[in-house]
Amino acid sequence: MEWEVVIGLETHTQLQTKTKIFSGASTAFGSEPNTQACVVSLALPGVLPVLNREAVKCAIKFGLAVNAEIAPRSVFARKNYFYPDLPKGYQISQYELPVVGKGSMTIQVGAGDKAYEKVINITRAHLEEDAGKSVHGAQEGMSGIDLNRAGTPLLEIVTEPDMRSAAEAVAYAKKLHDLVQWIGICDGNMQEGSFRCDVNVSVRPKGTEKLGTRREIKNLNSFKFMQQAIEYETNWQIETLEDGGTIQQATVLFNPDTGETRAMRSKEEANDYRYFPDPDLLPLAISEADISTVKAEMPELPEAMKARFEAEYGLAHYDANALTSSRATADYFVATVNAGSDAKLAANWVMGSVSAKLNAEDKEISASPITPSDLASLIKRIQDGTISNNAAKQVFEAMWAGEGNADSIIESKGLKQVSDSGAIEAIVDEVIAANDTMVEEFKAGKEKAFNALVGQAMKASKGKANPAQVNEILKKKLGA
Amino acid sequence: MSLNSADIKRIAHLARIEVSDTEAEATLTKLTGILGLIEQMQAVDTKGIVPMSHSQDVTQRLRDDVVTETNQRELFQSIAPAVEGGLYLVPKVIE
């Protein structure tokens, strides 16, 4: 039987605020344990939560970025469960009335001829607080609790079960990861847990409508692990069903060492959270004016920028897509163009040499040793014919290594293209004189011989002659 | 909807409240009474009425994103039963 996998994602994005969602304690990462755990984080009796304006703004930004409905009135609810890193005995979250409603995002899957686009529907996004951290092994038989993270604002973004392969799920997660950083609501740091994905996976016979029983893979914090975990889980479910077994709804964990998923010990009645509206918090009202204010502060979104790159600069769809994959890349490209570079050449250099170098050295584009204006000054020398494309590559390498600016490197390495027609004519004359056979062959109608002669002339000029001029002069001399 | 004493035990367990069998019986009677009242109220037509999430018709005030809390770990931990290296110690939690 042919099977179809159905995947939905829940992503916890940590919002980039200075303070916690319901208190004025700092959210800085990596501080000494419990030094950022105030009375609210500790849930001491009598304390009350007060909502952080900035966290609400982040939620509105996200809603605008995915064309979602932003609720004029949303409600905070208590999600009740007992765990030592949650001292209140409940997590403040949103349940029936989330701040962000239905929206959508377009993802690009695959590369080359097989690449395709797909719309992923967002069910909702809601504000909630993070829990603290348990540290094991501090003392025999005991667990240590650090409540610095307790109360950190999260936006949980939930999709419809719209993805049909691990590749689609990863493409969505990457796109979301890019987007939340683009609009500046999350730093995207997956090692520090700022962006964590739970993936719901189920399988069903291809062509059927009814969803299979799902298992939820918890807390994936790398795209590579996500791909591996989904592939393993999908195969496991298909094999189980083909062997006549059934799938039990469960929460599973991925073990990166074995590449396997395994069910967590099922906590009895774990899913009975008994949500109810939190009486400590009033409904959150968001007016049209609030939304307009945030809208005015929003950066140009990747989709809009992509369309602009295609229309304004004549870039191909694929190139425009690649350049808008992150805001840093897009900013770099735009700065290069604004510094006077031809847009198509800038696109080729940014996606080619620059990105290859960054990949090889595992650097972010913001850390590129070649600034956009450096790159523009190099491209301008290609545009005005000072250097050939090949020489430009050498100049680029030297600039990357910090040997100076484009002009000084062209000068010191003697890479300037010879465009003086007198000098080129002299070279061409020598080449014609020294290569009788080729000249004869060409005159006899062998086109290839012409290219060979151009090659000889280029070689004689040590690669510095302007190839277009060599072509032209050679043609004239041979009477072609 | 009718409850039995097993339901009472389950609800008590979820809330981490210890109830004896006698207490469970008494609670069963009380809760059944409350559910009966709710059943009576179900007769009221509530179509088009937005469920109430707070008794007052006011909305949430927002706080500026400014750090106002200082580190008072020593003070807070002075009342904790067990601490080590700045961590609160609790009986071991298994995943």
Side-chain angles (χ1 to χ4, degrees), chain A residues 166-369:
Chain A
E168 287 185 4
V170 171
Y172 162 77
K174 281 189 174 164
K175 180 98 184 202
L176 180 66
H177 187 244
D178 291 338
L179 183 68
V180 293
Q181 292 178 81
W182 186 290
I183 59 175
I185 65 168
C186 174
D187 68 14
N189 191 324
M190 296 178 84
Q191 278 79 41
E192 292 177 6
S194 301
F195 188 91
R196 325 191 278 266
C197 298
D198 299 342
V199 185
N200 285 298
V201 180
S202 66
V203 298
R204 65 183 173 193
K206 204 169 176 126
T208 60
E209 283 291 311
K210 195 169 169 281
L211 290 170
T213 305
R214 68 190 154 91
R215 302 215 308 167
E216 181 181 20
I217 313 168
K218 274 273 184 203
N219 267 335
L220 293 165
N221 63 355
S222 112
F223 299 125
K224 197 178 117 207
F225 293 163
M226 181 184 290
Q227 175 99 24
Q228 290 173 357
I230 295 172
E231 282 167 0
Y232 179 88
E233 179 64 24
T234 307
N235 288 335
W236 181 87
Q237 289 190 16
I238 292 172
E239 276 170 27
T240 303
L241 291 171
E242 287 188 341
D243 290 348
T246 51
I247 306 293
Q248 302 295 322
Q249 190 166 335
T251 301
V252 305
L253 290 175
F254 175 68
N255 181 342
D257 297 328
T258 61
E260 294 175 358
T261 54
R262 68 175 172 81
M264 284 169 76
R265 200 169 64 101
S266 67
K267 277 180 254 167
E268 212 187 343
E269 299 155 320
N271 284 325
D272 198 341
Y273 292 127
R274 295 151 296 138
Y275 283 96
F276 65 89
D278 190 332
D280 285 345
L281 286 154
L282 295 158
L284 167 63
I286 296 174
S287 68
E288 282 299 324
D290 295 334
I291 298 174
S292 309
T293 310
V294 176
K295 206 178 226 166
E297 292 172 22
M298 290 275 281
E300 185 181 13
L301 291 171
E303 292 300 318
M305 198 179 265
K306 196 162 74 187
R308 185 163 67 83
F309 284 180
E310 288 176 41
E312 210 170 291
Y313 301 137
L315 298 187
H317 187 64
Y318 180 85
D319 295 351
N321 228 340
L323 288 170
T324 51
S325 66
S326 81
R327 194 162 158 195
T329 305
D331 287 348
Y332 189 96
F333 166 73
V334 169
T336 307
V337 174
N338 287 344
S341 164
D342 171 75
K344 282 189 183 167
L345 283 174
N348 290 340
W349 279 88
V350 172
M351 292 183 304
S353 302
V354 175
S355 103
K357 273 285 187 189
L358 293 170
N359 280 340
E361 296 181 12
D362 198 21
K363 274 194 177 122
E364 295 294 321
I365 198 160
S366 52
S368 165

Side-chain angles (χ1 to χ4, degrees), chain A residues 70 92 192 314 404:
Chain A
I70 293 161
I92 304 177
E192 292 177 6

Side-chain angles (χ1 to χ4, degrees), chain A residues 18-20 23-24 33-34 50-53 73 82 138-139 141-145 269 272 279 282-283, chain B residues 10 13-14 16 53-54 59-60 62-69 71 73 76 84 86 88-90 92-93:
Chain A
K18 293 184 191 72
T19 63
K20 296 187 177 178
S23 77
N34 292 308
V50 189
L51 185 56
N52 185 339
R53 174 174 288 121
R73 183 175 166 280
F82 288 96
Q139 196 175 307
M142 304 291 264
S143 291
I145 303 295
E269 299 155 320
D272 198 341
L282 295 158
Chain B
R10 182 171 163 274
H13 172 69
L14 282 172
R16 300 294 188 274
S53 53
H54 201 275
T59 53
Q60 183 63 40
L62 302 177
R63 173 180 60 78
D64 286 339
D65 187 26
V66 178
V67 177
T68 53
E69 302 302 310
N71 173 21
R73 186 174 77 181
F76 296 149
E84 190 180 293
Y88 291 90
L89 292 184
V90 298
K92 191 170 181 174
V93 253

